[in-house]
């Protein structure tokens, strides 16, 4: 449970802030001027801070919508992402956020309306192209939803723009708010998945794979379009068996017609992030495994890459048409 | 942490039992005396007017800074330099403070420290919210008499935070304050004896916090330090800066694969830096599937 909330005084009158006050009445609420005075300070220690993160409530002033990195999209002409939150409740060993920020505190931007206004403008600007918007790039889209209630606002907004797609990427099983409403056909609920034994080791604090698959099944039965994200692919000596089991299990349990897309991508880090994260986790096996540098990315060797990609592709093609399978490279 | 990780930390800890894990920066002797006694610290001779007390066995060092943020900052830097404090040591500023309300004697962790004079804000320390109440603190250059805002008031913490967070990570810099004066109980009532008593009655809380702080320091030590054999190897062979970096990265991986082996067993002393690096690379590559990397 969050015991301390730092809040920008400028952000104190938003309805989201008021809702959070009701949700966290016993927390110590401390006023601040700007979130940058406490978040991502160079001398902060992500690993220690992660043991008891605080919530920082802030107002975002710019960069509400950003172009998604190349290689991130699922076939649209234009791909964008937006981050109403920085950092995540979970503590996944491979997460790039720990290399991006030196702070593990959660930052929640409560001026939701400003995000939607910026997204509206972007939609209008690219009205002649297909567009996908990604939520959950700098956080988990649903994990904090019981406190932030962001997904409800977001879905209400995108419901009015059926011509564009939005993806909520998550590992969370907090899906009751989704189950209570009718599915929105342009909203993809995308789950990040790894084989159970890998998730048990690396997806700290996240729901088990069994529970994630159960949530996927429930959403799919209700008619929500489902995204399956096998990203990052993690190498182990028996990875073929592990990924084979995971894919079979998923395809058996989820109605294939409701699978919007499946994407996969190797464990990879920008060079600078890798250095920072491996320094934080020098004792863990994930970063002890030999990785190679290729075009400013650190990842497994080309041999492992080719081997894993061809295997995963082959497995997925046995169940799904090519058009639903995507390879993420950045 | 896994048992293996705990064992590694414990082993390193035993080897480095003669280091200072905790450094105290305290304004007044009356605030410090209970801590000096608790850890059986002895006076360290210095060539300055700062008084330092330390116990290598207990792993604690303490400096009496005098009153004021500048003195607190200077004392922090002096203690660091004088005893060559490691970057995984915890730094603690303990002292009395004014507060906007009773009760006298209440113990706080300052989670936000603001200096009006310097217009700087600090957010020191890992928050121990389950063990102790957190509060914001305002550092002033004179005693507060009005207690207008719901804050703690002191005269040192901001100077301490500014300097201590340059020596250890911010999460290992702590400000603990005990309420000594309020609008109902003025500073005039404070004597050396009452200050000593205020600290004494809070020792139990402090001991509980110290055991948690020590755990955090050990985690940080494990992250920052390398085994002695790495330095021995680097000292015996001419490593360039780049090669030293490569060697250290490879060593960590090699050690993960062979936790029981030592570099000595490899008979590498006659080899050149590049040869050692290539040897480790090859060995890691050959043994890639020998253990579970998760």
């Amino acid at each position: 449970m969050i015991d301390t909330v730092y809040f920008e005084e400028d952000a104190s009158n938003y309805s989201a802030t008021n809702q959070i006050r009701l949700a966290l009445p016993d927390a110590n609420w401390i006023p601040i001027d700007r979130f940058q005075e406490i978040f991502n300070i160079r001398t902060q220690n992500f690993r220690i801070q992660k043991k008891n993160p605080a919530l920082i409530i802030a107002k975002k002033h710019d960069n509400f919508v950003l172009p998604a990195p190349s290689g991130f999209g699922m076939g649209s002409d234009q791909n964008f992402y937006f981050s109403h939150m920085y950092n995540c409740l979970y503590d996944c060993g491979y997460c790039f956020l720990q290399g991006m920020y030196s702070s593990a505190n959660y930052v929640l931007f409560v001026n939701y309306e400003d995000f939607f206004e910026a997204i509206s403008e972007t939609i209008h600007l690219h009205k002649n192209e297909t567009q996908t918007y990604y939520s959950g790039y700098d956080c988990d889209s649903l994990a904090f939803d019981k406190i932030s209630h962001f997904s409800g606002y977001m879905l209400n907004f995108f419901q009015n723009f059926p011509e564009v797609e939005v993806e909520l990427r998550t590992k969370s099983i907090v899906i009751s708010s989704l189950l209570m409403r009718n599915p929105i056909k342009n909203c993809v609920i995308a789950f990040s998945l790894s084989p159970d034994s890998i998730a048990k080791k690396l997806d700290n604090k996240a729901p088990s794979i069994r529970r994630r698959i159960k949530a996927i099944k429930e959403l799919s039965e209700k008619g929500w379009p489902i995204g399956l994200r096998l990203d990052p692919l993690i190498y182990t000596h028996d990875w073929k068996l592990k990924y084979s089991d995971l894919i079979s299990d998923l395809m058996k349990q989820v109605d294939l017609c409701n699978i919007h897309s499946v994407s996969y991508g190797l464990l990879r880090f920008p060079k600078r992030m890798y250095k920072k994260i491996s320094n934080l986790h020098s004792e863990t096996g994930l970063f002890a495994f030999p990785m190679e540098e290729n075009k400013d990315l650190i990842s497994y060797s080309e041999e492992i890459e080719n081997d894993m990609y061809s295997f995963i592709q082959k497995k997925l093609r046995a169940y799904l048409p090519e058009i639903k399978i995507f390879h993420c490279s950045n | 942490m896994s048992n293996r990780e705990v064992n590694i930390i414990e082993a390193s800890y035993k080897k480095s039992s003669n280091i200072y894990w905790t450094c105290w920066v305290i304004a007044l002797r009356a605030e410090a005396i209970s801590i000096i006694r608790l850890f059986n610290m002895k006076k360290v001779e210095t060539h300055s007017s700062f008084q330092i007390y330390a116990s290598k066995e207990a792993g604690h060092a303490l400096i009496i800074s005098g009153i004021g943020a500048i003195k607190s900052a200077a004392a922090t830097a002096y203690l660091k330099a004088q005893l060559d404090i490691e970057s995984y040591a915890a730094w603690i500023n303990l002292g009395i403070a004014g507060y906007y309300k009773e009760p006298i004697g209440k113990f706080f962790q300052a989670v936000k420290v603001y200096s009006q004079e310097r217009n700087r804000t600090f957010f020191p320390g890992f928050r121990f919210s389950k063990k102790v109440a957190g509060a914001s603190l305002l550092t002033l250059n004179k005693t507060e008499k009005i207690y207008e805002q719901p804050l703690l008031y002191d005269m040192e913490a901001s100077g301490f935070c500014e300097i201590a967070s340059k020596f250890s990570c911010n999460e290992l810099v702590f400000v603990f304050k005990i309420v000594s004066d309020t609008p109902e109980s003025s500073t005039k009532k404070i004597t050396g004896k009452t200050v000593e008593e205020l600290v004494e009655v809070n020792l139990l809380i402090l001991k509980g916090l110290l055991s948690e702080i020590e755990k955090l320091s050990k985690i940080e030590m494990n992250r920052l330090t390398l085994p002695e054999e790495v330095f021995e190897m680097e000292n015996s062979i001419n490593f360039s800066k780049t090669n030293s970096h490569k060697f250290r990265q490879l060593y960590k991986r090699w050690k993960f694969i062979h936790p029981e082996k030592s570099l000595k067993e490899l008979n590498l002393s006659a080899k050149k830096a590049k040869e050692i690096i290539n040897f480790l690379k090859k060995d890691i590559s050959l043994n890639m599937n020998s253990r579970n990397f998760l």
Side-chain angles (χ1 to χ4, degrees):
Chain A
M1 183 49 90
I2 290 161
D3 59 48
T4 305
V5 181
Y6 297 98
F7 65 99
E8 286 182 359
E9 299 197 73
D10 273 1
S12 59
N13 289 326
Y14 284 90
S15 60
T17 309
N18 294 330
Q19 277 180 313
I20 296 166
R21 273 193 190 276
L22 295 175
L24 300 171
D26 298 327
N28 190 7
W29 284 68
I30 296 171
I32 53 172
D33 290 333
R34 290 296 303 274
F35 80 94
Q36 292 93 336
E37 65 182 329
I38 180 169
F39 186 75
N40 218 17
I41 307 296
R42 206 169 55 87
T43 56
Q44 288 176 335
N45 181 312
F46 187 97
R47 290 312 317 157
I48 296 181
Q49 212 173 77
K50 190 75 186 172
K51 291 176 181 292
N52 185 22
L55 171 63
I56 303 168
I57 292 180
K59 183 179 169 185
K60 198 167 174 69
H61 295 273
D62 51 17
N63 296 327
F64 293 99
V65 192
L66 293 164
S70 61
F72 195 79
M74 310 275 158
S76 287
D77 299 331
Q78 296 289 342
N79 298 288
F80 300 97
Y81 76 96
F82 53 94
S83 296
H84 71 291
M85 190 170 170
Y86 295 159
N87 275 331
C88 178
L89 291 187
Y90 307 138
D91 188 15
C92 302
Y94 47 78
C95 183
F96 76 97
L97 291 172
Q98 55 198 325
M100 194 142 101
Y101 306 125
S102 55
S103 178
N105 289 332
Y106 316 123
V107 181
L108 179 70
F109 298 109
V110 287
N111 50 329
Y112 299 162
E113 298 79 6
D114 294 334
F115 281 89
F116 302 134
E117 199 182 312
I119 296 169
S120 289
E121 284 167 15
T122 314
I123 291 173
H124 185 70
L125 207 65
H126 298 277
K127 61 186 174 198
N128 297 324
E129 295 167 287
T130 54
Q131 301 169 50
T132 302
Y133 290 81
Y134 294 92
S135 162
Y137 187 73
D138 293 316
C139 65
D140 184 290
S141 292
L142 289 177
F144 207 67
D145 218 39
K146 277 190 176 166
I147 290 175
S148 72
H149 301 283
F150 181 74
S151 73
Y153 292 97
M154 183 176 66
L155 294 175
N156 289 343
F157 170 80
F158 278 101
Q159 198 163 239
N160 299 323
F161 295 93
E163 72 279 16
V164 303
E165 243 175 17
V166 61
E167 174 179 311
L168 275 81
R169 192 169 291 194
T170 191
K171 287 180 181 136
S172 171
I173 52 166
V174 181
I175 55 166
S176 51
S177 63
L178 299 176
L179 293 174
M180 277 191 303
R181 64 191 298 163
N182 288 326
I184 300 166
K185 287 297 169 191
N186 58 322
C187 174
V188 180
I189 315 296
F191 283 83
S192 300
L193 299 149
S194 296
D196 185 49
S197 59
I198 293 177
K200 272 184 184 146
K201 288 268 188 182
L202 297 176
D203 293 4
N204 302 312
K205 299 183 187 171
S208 67
I209 293 299
R210 187 180 56 80
R211 295 179 79 192
R212 275 182 248 176
I213 295 178
K214 185 172 171 279
I216 293 170
K217 207 175 157 192
E218 283 177 281
L219 287 166
S220 140
E221 282 166 1
K222 179 91 184 176
W224 286 90
I226 298 296
L228 303 174
R229 307 288 170 250
L230 308 178
D231 190 358
L233 295 170
I234 308 276
Y235 178 88
T236 61
H237 66 280
D238 56 350
W239 64 270
K240 279 189 183 170
L241 183 66
K242 285 184 161 96
Y243 280 96
S244 177
D245 285 352
L246 173 68
I247 292 169
S248 315
D249 202 16
L250 282 166
M251 300 304 160
K252 253 185 252 161
Q253 300 213 40
V254 186
D255 183 348
L256 298 184
C257 298
N258 285 334
I259 295 182
H260 166 275
S261 55
V262 183
S263 65
Y264 61 91
L266 220 55
L267 177 70
R268 61 205 181 278
F269 302 94
K271 199 176 160 187
R272 234 181 44 192
M273 269 184 203
Y274 178 79
K275 202 174 159 189
K276 203 167 157 189
I277 302 174
S278 59
N279 187 30
L280 286 173
H281 290 281
S282 56
E283 78 291 356
T284 63
L286 190 67
F287 294 96
F289 192 84
M291 307 271 263
E292 291 177 7
E293 188 183 333
N294 185 13
K295 293 176 195 159
D296 271 342
L297 281 181
I298 306 283
S299 189
Y300 297 130
S301 67
E302 202 177 332
E303 190 188 341
I304 291 178
E305 175 178 335
N306 292 338
D307 209 9
M308 289 188 98
Y309 282 167
S310 61
F311 181 85
I312 299 290
Q313 273 165 7
K314 197 174 159 196
K315 278 278 156 197
L316 292 172
R317 279 182 196 147
Y319 298 97
L320 294 167
E322 189 73 36
I323 198 167
K324 290 192 176 189
I325 303 171
F326 296 90
H327 164 214
C328 287
S329 56
N330 259 325
Chain B
M1 265 191 292
S2 68
N3 282 342
R4 188 174 158 269
E5 284 164 346
V6 171
N7 289 341
I8 291 169
I9 292 177
E10 289 301 323
S12 331
Y13 178 47
K14 275 171 199 156
K15 267 189 254 165
S16 46
S17 57
N18 269 345
I19 53 169
Y20 297 110
W21 289 97
T22 312
C23 298
W24 302 80
V25 180
I26 298 181
L28 303 169
R29 189 177 162 73
E31 293 167 315
I33 195 73
S34 302
I35 308 297
I36 293 170
R37 276 196 217 118
L38 181 67
F39 297 108
N40 199 21
M41 288 188 244
K42 304 284 180 246
K43 194 165 183 179
V44 176
E45 288 308 319
T46 67
H47 299 290
S48 88
S49 59
F50 283 125
Q51 289 179 49
I52 292 179
Y53 295 82
S55 163
K56 276 197 172 173
E57 296 70 34
H60 285 255
L62 182 150
I63 188 162
I64 297 175
S65 66
I67 293 171
I70 292 175
K71 283 184 184 168
S72 188
T76 306
Y78 188 72
L79 183 60
K80 162 84 179 174
Q82 196 69 18
L83 298 187
D84 197 17
I85 304 298
E86 299 283 358
S87 51
Y88 44 81
W91 290 84
I92 300 174
N93 171 230
L94 173 75
I96 56 167
Y99 195 46
Y100 78 108
K101 64 175 185 181
E102 298 280 312
I104 300 291
K106 188 168 165 72
F107 190 98
F108 282 100
Q109 178 178 13
V111 293
K112 177 183 175 183
V113 172
Y114 177 60
S115 160
Q116 215 157 27
E117 201 179 24
R118 305 241 315 124
N119 193 23
R120 292 281 313 265
T121 308
F122 305 92
F123 297 87
F126 178 83
R127 285 169 292 101
F128 293 110
S129 333
K130 289 193 181 89
K131 288 183 178 285
V132 58
S136 299
L137 179 149
L138 177 62
T139 297
L140 299 164
N141 54 14
K142 59 178 192 233
T143 313
E144 174 65 19
K145 290 190 177 122
I146 304 170
Y147 312 92
E148 204 170 22
Q149 300 173 67
L151 301 169
L152 289 161
Y153 297 88
D154 91 331
M155 295 172 72
E156 288 82 31
S158 70
F160 164 78
C161 289
E162 187 158 359
I163 299 302
S165 62
K166 304 222 181 295
F167 300 149
S168 289
C169 70
N170 187 60
E171 278 57 48
L172 289 175
V173 175
F174 300 94
V175 176
F176 297 126
K177 295 288 164 180
I178 301 164
V179 177
S180 58
D181 48 285
T182 67
E184 286 81 44
S185 178
S186 87
T187 49
K188 284 179 190 158
K189 290 185 188 169
I190 303 172
T191 64
K193 192 163 181 293
T194 57
V195 171
E196 264 188 64
E197 282 167 4
L198 286 173
V199 176
E200 193 71 35
V201 296
N202 280 292
L203 280 184
L204 201 61
I205 297 176
L206 211 44
K207 281 182 194 169
L209 293 170
L210 286 173
S211 79
E212 296 300 317
I213 290 170
E214 200 170 308
K215 284 179 199 162
L216 298 179
S217 285
K218 285 179 193 173
I219 291 171
E220 187 66 344
M221 182 194 77
N222 191 39
R223 185 178 75 83
L224 293 176
T225 55
L226 283 164
E228 200 54 39
E229 64 173 353
V230 173
F231 302 109
E232 281 169 14
M233 180 66 80
E234 285 184 350
N235 289 337
S236 66
I237 290 157
N238 192 16
F239 275 90
S240 68
K241 204 168 178 187
T242 315
N243 280 340
S244 161
H245 178 73
K246 279 184 192 165
F247 167 63
R248 288 177 185 202
Q249 294 297 320
L250 287 167
Y251 172 83
K252 285 179 191 170
R253 287 176 182 169
W254 177 81
K255 197 69 186 167
F256 184 84
I257 297 171
H258 307 291
E260 312 307 329
K261 279 192 186 174
S262 76
L263 284 175
K264 274 189 188 138
E265 293 169 44
L266 305 178
N267 293 321
L268 296 169
S269 54
K271 294 191 186 298
K272 290 179 184 161
K274 273 191 180 169
E275 289 173 325
I276 293 171
I277 287 167
N278 287 336
F279 173 86
L280 292 178
K281 266 188 195 167
K282 198 172 168 191
D283 187 273
I284 292 164
S285 170
L286 283 173
N287 292 291
M288 223 159 65
N289 288 327
S290 68
R291 68 166 296 186
N292 189 350
F293 275 86
L294 291 185

